[in-house]
Amino acid sequence: MDSLKRKGIALTVLALTLGLLAGCGGNDAENNAQSSASGTGAASSGSASPAAMKEPTKIQIGNLFPNLDANNPVMQELSKRTNTTFDLITVTGDRNQKFDLWLASGDYPEDTLVLKPDYVEKYRTAGALMPLDDLIEQYGPNIKEKYGKYFDLLRSSDGHIYSLYVPKLSTEPSPLLQANFAVRYDVLEDAGYPEIKTFDQLYDLLKAFYEKNPTIDGKETIPFAGFDYYGNGADNLSSPTFDASGLINQGNFTIDDQNDAQLLYSTEEMKRYYQFLSKLYNTNMLDKEFFTLKSEALVKKITEGRVLAGYFPSWWVQPEVEKVLRAAGDYDHLYAYFPITFDSSAENKSFTSLMTRSNWNWVISSKTKHPEEVMKLLDYIFSDEGQILINWGIEGRHFEVKDGKRAVLADFNEKKAVNPDLQWTETASPFMGTSIYLDHGTKLADGDYATPTTKESVMSGYDERTKEVLGKYGKEVWSDFLPEIQLMPALLYQLGDLEDVRADMKRLQQVWLKESPKIIFAKNGQDFDAKWTSMQKSLEKEGAAKATDAYEQLWKTSIERYKTILK
Amino acid sequence: MQAHTVKRQTTPRAYKSRGRLRKLASQYQLILMSVPFIGVLFVFHYLPLWGWLMAFQKYSIPKGIMGSPFVGFDQFAELLADSRFYQALRNTFAMSGMSLAAGFVCAIGLALLLNEARSMFFKRTIQTIVYIPHFVSWVVISNIVIYLLSPDHGPLNELLAGLGAVGEPIYFMSKEKWFWVIHTLAGLWKELGWSTIIYLAVLAGVNPEMYEAAEVDGAGRFAKMRHISLPSLLPTATLLLILAVGQMLSTGYESQMLLGNSFVMDYSQVLDLYALDYSLSIGDYSYGVAISMFKSVVSIVLVLGVNTIAKRVGQSHVL
């Protein structure tokens, strides 16, 4: 009896302990199962290929897309063509935290992963990356060919290459690109379709329409609106200032021709844009909720037909607004996009592109056992064939060649329209959307486009009304309104942040975010000036000069280096 | 002789420790059963304390904890010198305090009232209705609140205008001083029903004979509430208060982040948001650890403080 009881207790303890262990270990077991499953899948597809080939190399890749199906046709094709199998390590949750965690624990993917430039730098200093110079020399013919004279731009400040990204090869702007200041079709029609170039024009146009139509369906018309995406109101203030002034968007600073930096929050340009907003506010033409409106709430106001104009960046307006309005058949309330500035005679430099697109860069981990195979894979993506595979998909399944031109299969297009998730199971790869696909509008050696996003494909997505409005201006797509794209070797905001002034920058930003709404909502010019001056004083107190000097130094050193490279 | 003395000296101690050991040995089953849980506690709550070292370093990920240089109390000095930190501290205490006070009074009040409801159907319906917001996320709650208070045809402004109380719609969310109140009311609405559950359970457990005896003595409804229901709730309420006070500094930042905006920044930034802004989002982990250490110390002081007070006034206590 006693021994039975004892056994019972021992069993309980054992069960509890095992339960705990199982709880901790569950993840590993799952991971193993997953990797072995993908292993067998790859093996079976491998056996179909000629036996003469050597054993495919297994490459572990850091992947940003949780929805990606690792066995989709494009992935299988890529496997076959490069004689590799893939083991995807998918990043879920907050990417930066994951990258930090990977680095801190040394648990980053074995072979290759994709990182933002600041993390490339972090990983490099920790010795987690392999210098690529020799590998490219030996196994990277396509990379060298695509880069040509820009090759040295790939080099990091110590002279070595640590990450891969594409150069800007296209001569035309991406047809998806559009200006950010939006004006509604019916407002333009009412005034006889003038081309809006300056803010004075915009103000007069909005005022005339607003006076004629003070309310729409019983609710007040909102001539100019904005939204608050990140919960701090910044969306309405910094990028619009750069756009409105025709300045190169350098993040928190402006940089003049002498390469001197100035804190954006203290510039005359920002003051001028604030004055425009303030004028709108005091004539009741600015949305009352300009600084607090969530983006969904703005979509609601727009679908009610009350919003006449605003600063609507394309990443937001294309998916969130245009889709909804087109689906509702509400074509009159769509928006036209003009690069509006204060001074239409001055050169507009606000549309810039880097000579290289360093955004999500591919690196090779120092842990890799077969760097040459990894480099061959990345080099293959740089080839024309590789680009067509990751951008267009597989010929006959996703696209066809008609009259020597690639076109997405109508059938596949229709299916994609019905099921937007189809890309994950058909054409997606870890390379999608990273800095390794060539820009929309780039032409490959065969004279045809590298990606399916072309002027024709963009136009085919337009409705009749949009084509009519564009026709009034003699244009085909909104990108036709844009000034020439400025090619830059670097932009300040992508040079990374400076540890020494990081906290200062944050404090400056908070002062700016807090004071800006008060300045813009000032009752009159005197009040406006007083509040602007008081913000300048606070900025000075929080170390504006120190931060500006530090970033100016960073900019000057980098630009000096690029000058010698590009000579 | 010498050896003899030594032996005599050690004997009582040996007896004592043998007694303790015997006591432990007789409970070995219980001790064995607690081992896994102590293990969990140790692994998840004590091992990570190793990371507190970061607060005294200039931690950088590439160098790791072992390689980062030590900087002594620099992080704490910086923290205590930052005026924004005090602002965040003030906001955290103010909002937690307001939520705590409002939550306690209203939850106990509602529980007492519900306890008196005669119709079971009515009681259950009300309970269910007040529970619902608890299961809704702050994202949704904040959107509802912002919509309700919107100056652009928001229901509250429409109502006030309809009553003729205001001419111009009021932009509630832009009023700095009102943020604490709006935040407290939103939190109250979300959590009120949920926090009555425990009180209702306690009230259900009160011996009905006490009420009957009170009735015989001629007590009315309010007298019964005051002299029987309320005193029965007090031990539980104190216990919950002590636990809640320990959490005062770490009430999260979700609600403040979602309800806040650039107008009310000075009143909406709480410690967790401050930590997020000045440490995690800019990759300064040492500073973040320093903030969290500060929070832990203050929390312990608060819990011990309330516990001592509760002991003094003869209420239940945790420690």
Side-chain angles (χ1 to χ4, degrees):
Chain A
M1 184 64 201
D2 196 41
S3 79
L4 200 70
K5 201 165 126 196
R6 216 172 274 168
K7 263 184 203 159
I9 289 160
L11 275 177
T12 318
V13 172
L14 193 71
L16 284 170
T17 321
L18 282 180
L20 278 172
L21 287 176
C24 297
N27 229 348
D28 263 354
E30 215 174 72
N31 287 347
N32 286 338
Q34 214 169 29
S35 61
S36 71
S38 69
T40 47
S44 62
S45 74
S47 63
S49 62
M53 291 261 272
K54 76 173 169 92
E55 194 64 19
T57 320
K58 185 166 165 184
I59 294 184
Q60 203 173 63
I61 302 180
N63 165 38
L64 303 174
F65 311 110
N67 293 340
L68 175 65
D69 173 6
N71 282 316
N72 70 31
V74 164
M75 291 295 282
Q76 284 183 15
E77 182 69 21
L78 190 61
S79 255
K80 221 187 297 170
R81 289 195 202 169
T82 55
N83 194 32
T84 48
T85 61
F86 305 118
D87 175 17
L88 301 185
I89 307 292
T90 302
V91 178
T92 48
D94 186 289
R95 286 170 178 172
N96 287 357
Q97 270 179 33
K98 187 77 177 183
F99 295 147
D100 279 344
L101 205 62
W102 273 354
L103 186 59
S105 63
D107 212 11
Y108 43 88
E110 298 258 326
D111 295 314
T112 179
L113 61 158
V114 56
L115 295 171
K116 289 201 146 192
D118 46 341
Y119 275 87
V120 171
E121 195 55 25
K122 253 191 199 177
Y123 272 60
R124 180 180 76 88
T125 36
L129 302 184
M130 182 163 280
L132 307 178
D133 318 33
D134 297 340
L135 286 170
I136 297 177
E137 204 57 49
Q138 267 184 292
Y139 305 104
N142 291 308
I143 297 172
K144 287 178 83 174
E145 187 215 314
K146 285 277 183 310
Y147 259 91
K149 63 170 176 168
Y150 289 146
F151 187 71
D152 284 334
L153 281 179
L154 275 171
R155 293 188 192 280
S156 134
S157 50
D158 72 351
H160 290 292
I161 298 172
Y162 292 96
S163 72
L164 289 174
Y165 39 91
V166 292
K168 175 99 185 156
L169 297 177
S170 62
T171 44
E172 51 188 285
S174 161
L176 274 178
L177 203 63
Q178 60 193 32
N180 297 315
F181 288 105
V183 186
R184 216 164 71 181
Y185 292 171
D186 59 344
V187 180
L188 290 169
E189 186 181 15
D190 205 56
Y193 295 109
E195 185 170 344
I196 312 296
K197 286 184 172 160
T198 67
F199 282 95
D200 290 335
Q201 261 178 299
L202 178 67
Y203 182 82
D204 293 339
L205 177 84
L206 293 178
K207 196 172 169 61
F209 192 87
Y210 179 51
E211 273 165 5
K212 260 191 265 174
N213 310 285
T215 59
I216 286 170
D217 291 338
K219 289 183 174 178
E220 302 83 9
T221 307
I222 302 166
F224 198 87
F227 65 95
D228 179 26
Y229 197 79
Y230 295 106
N232 57 22
D235 318 272
N236 288 320
L237 304 172
S238 100
S239 295
T241 300
F242 283 113
D243 283 15
S245 317
L247 290 176
I248 296 169
N249 191 337
Q250 303 269 20
N252 295 314
F253 297 91
T254 60
I255 287 168
D256 63 17
D257 296 338
Q258 279 74 48
N259 287 321
D260 289 332
Q262 194 187 356
L263 189 66
L264 176 69
Y265 321 146
S266 313
T267 54
E268 280 306 305
E269 282 83 7
M270 182 157 260
K271 192 176 176 185
R272 192 164 53 173
Y273 187 65
Y274 281 16
Q275 274 163 342
F276 167 70
L277 291 177
S278 194
K279 184 169 146 195
L280 286 171
Y281 176 74
N282 282 313
T283 45
N284 235 345
M285 284 165 63
L286 189 69
D287 188 6
K288 276 179 239 151
E289 297 176 287
F290 190 66
F291 288 101
T292 56
L293 201 63
K294 300 275 183 239
S295 72
E296 312 87 59
L298 178 58
V299 174
K300 182 173 166 273
K301 287 186 180 182
I302 287 176
T303 49
E304 286 172 350
R306 297 165 59 198
V307 179
L308 307 184
Y311 181 82
F312 301 154
S314 56
W315 57 263
W316 177 75
V317 79
Q318 287 175 349
E320 306 283 328
V321 177
E322 291 185 3
K323 251 189 202 160
V324 178
L325 290 177
R326 288 213 172 99
D330 195 1
Y331 303 121
D332 249 4
H333 291 159
L334 283 165
Y335 294 89
Y337 306 95
F338 299 112
I340 304 174
T341 55
F342 281 102
D343 180 2
S344 60
S345 60
E347 190 187 2
N348 185 351
K349 294 180 176 172
S350 60
F351 296 89
T352 49
S353 172
L354 289 165
M355 293 168 185
T356 56
R357 202 177 72 234
S358 168
N359 191 10
W360 282 104
N361 304 350
W362 286 89
V363 299
I364 297 183
S365 148
S366 56
K367 288 197 291 188
T368 182
K369 293 188 187 65
H370 31 249
E372 66 290 339
E373 297 297 329
V374 185
M375 178 49 78
K376 277 186 206 161
L377 171 70
L378 294 177
D379 183 64
Y380 180 75
I381 306 291
F382 268 87
S383 72
D384 283 8
E385 252 180 76
Q387 287 292 319
I388 293 170
L389 182 63
I390 63 163
N391 293 326
W392 287 88
I394 296 165
E395 185 168 356
R397 186 178 176 116
H398 305 120
F399 73 93
E400 57 182 343
V401 180
K402 251 195 310 197
D403 316 324
K405 279 197 156 187
R406 282 182 286 278
V408 178
L409 281 174
D411 174 49
F412 181 57
N413 245 347
E414 270 164 39
K415 277 194 216 149
K416 229 175 19 181
V418 181
N419 175 14
D421 285 335
L422 195 65
Q423 59 163 332
W424 302 115
T425 53
E426 283 294 332
T427 55
S429 66
F431 304 103
M432 193 183 76
T434 64
S435 296
I436 205 164
Y437 79 87
L438 292 168
D439 279 311
H440 301 308
T442 309
K443 282 182 177 157
L444 296 176
D446 60 7
D448 198 5
Y449 290 105
T451 73
T453 306
T454 60
K455 221 171 188 176
E456 283 77 31
S457 81
V458 169
M459 279 162 66
S460 70
Y462 288 159
D463 50 90
E464 285 311 310
R465 177 78 169 120
T466 302
K467 286 178 190 159
E468 182 199 332
V469 174
L470 278 163
K472 300 275 181 199
Y473 296 98
K475 312 268 176 174
E476 287 180 315
V477 289
W478 295 116
S479 69
D480 289 342
F481 283 96
L482 300 185
E484 201 179 326
I485 304 285
Q486 305 277 317
L487 277 186
M488 298 284 292
L491 290 171
L492 185 54
Y493 69 80
Q494 49 79 239
L495 291 177
D497 58 4
L498 293 166
E499 207 169 308
D500 293 341
V501 291
R502 230 164 18 188
D504 300 87
M505 245 0 262
K506 194 77 205 175
R507 267 187 276 277
L508 290 171
Q509 233 163 16
Q510 292 220 329
V511 168
W512 166 62
L513 290 172
K514 197 177 71 185
E515 301 298 332
S516 292
K518 292 174 194 155
I519 297 172
I520 290 165
F521 285 7
K523 291 274 170 287
N524 52 49
Q526 214 178 352
D527 193 17
F528 180 98
D529 284 336
K531 282 179 172 151
W532 175 265
T533 318
S534 118
M535 175 168 95
Q536 298 313 320
K537 278 194 188 126
S538 307
L539 288 172
E540 256 163 57
K541 217 181 72 194
E542 297 286 4
K546 183 183 160 203
T548 312
D549 285 348
Y551 276 96
E552 187 175 288
Q553 206 47 51
L554 173 70
W555 174 253
K556 281 186 171 161
T557 351
S558 329
I559 213 73
E560 229 15 77
R561 200 165 67 77
Y562 287 118
K563 253 187 211 158
T564 44
I565 288 175
L566 290 171
K567 213 173 268 172
Chain B
M1 186 65 202
Q2 217 176 9
H4 186 68
T5 345
V6 171
K7 200 180 174 190
R8 273 182 82 168
Q9 273 176 348
T10 49
T11 315
R13 254 190 235 158
Y15 270 127
K16 215 175 172 184
S17 70
R18 202 174 298 157
R20 242 185 239 157
L21 272 180
R22 195 173 296 158
K23 202 171 170 193
L24 278 180
S26 69
Q27 302 173 340
Y28 82 97
Q29 298 99 327
L30 294 174
I31 292 171
L32 265 180
M33 274 198 246
S34 67
V35 162
F37 300 101
I38 292 176
V40 169
L41 193 74
F42 184 75
V43 169
F44 291 105
H45 290 261
Y46 285 88
L47 275 189
L49 289 187
W50 162 251
W52 275 17
L53 266 183
M54 275 194 251
F56 304 99
Q57 293 180 323
K58 195 172 168 54
Y59 177 75
S60 81
I61 289 180
K63 289 182 194 138
I65 282 198
M66 303 305 288
S68 297
F70 280 89
V71 293
F73 286 89
D74 279 10
Q75 305 287 354
F76 293 93
E78 195 185 326
L79 187 67
L80 296 175
D82 188 357
S83 63
R84 273 176 203 286
F85 168 70
Y86 293 102
Q87 202 179 52
L89 195 63
R90 175 200 69 182
N91 294 341
T92 314
F93 271 120
M95 276 186 268
S96 302
M98 284 170 77
S99 304
L100 205 65
F104 256 84
V105 173
C106 296
I108 291 177
L110 184 66
L112 286 176
L113 292 176
L114 277 177
N115 193 48
E116 295 298 319
R118 286 217 183 120
S119 149
M120 214 46 186
F121 175 74
F122 174 76
K123 188 176 162 188
R124 293 259 175 258
T125 319
I126 294 290
Q127 261 182 292
T128 312
I129 291 173
V130 292
Y131 286 174
I132 290 173
H134 171 77
F135 299 102
V136 179
S137 80
W138 264 113
V139 179
V140 177
I141 299 272
S142 71
N143 274 331
I144 294 176
V145 170
I146 291 170
Y147 168 70
L148 278 176
L149 302 180
S150 163
D152 186 69
H153 299 273
L156 186 61
N157 268 312
E158 297 278 88
L159 181 75
L160 289 176
L163 294 173
V166 292
E168 275 280 294
I170 304 173
Y171 195 175
F172 293 99
M173 297 310 292
S174 73
K175 305 265 191 246
E176 287 187 328
K177 305 254 158 61
W178 296 11
F179 183 78
W180 290 352
V181 178
I182 292 172
H183 178 264
T184 307
L185 291 178
L188 193 63
W189 174 46
K190 180 161 155 53
E191 297 301 339
L192 179 60
W194 192 247
S195 43
T196 58
I197 292 183
I198 291 183
Y199 297 119
L200 282 171
V202 172
L203 286 175
V206 175
N207 192 344
E209 282 174 16
M210 290 219 273
Y211 288 108
E212 283 158 22
E215 256 169 64
V216 173
D217 288 345
R221 287 202 146 217
F222 283 105
K224 275 192 284 177
M225 255 194 207
R226 224 185 105 198
H227 297 292
I228 301 175
S229 305
L230 203 54
S232 343
L233 283 180
L234 271 185
T236 316
T238 322
L239 200 72
L240 289 178
L241 181 71
I242 296 172
L243 294 179
V245 165
Q247 293 292 316
M248 257 181 103
L249 281 186
S250 35
T251 42
Y253 57 88
E254 249 187 322
S255 49
Q256 287 88 356
M257 192 172 83
L258 289 163
L259 282 172
N261 56 55
S262 41
F263 288 102
V264 297
M265 218 178 254
D266 281 348
Y267 288 82
S268 68
Q269 194 168 49
V270 286
L271 270 186
D272 283 344
L273 262 185
Y274 175 82
L276 196 71
D277 271 356
Y278 285 89
S279 86
L280 284 181
S281 79
I282 58 175
D284 189 348
Y285 292 94
S286 291
Y287 201 55
V289 176
I291 298 171
S292 94
M293 273 180 79
F294 177 86
K295 271 169 54 182
S296 303
V297 172
V298 173
S299 296
I300 291 176
V301 170
L302 283 175
V303 169
L304 290 178
V306 177
N307 195 53
T308 315
I309 296 173
K311 237 189 227 173
R312 288 255 170 84
V313 298
Q315 285 295 342
S316 64
H317 44 84
V318 187
L319 300 167

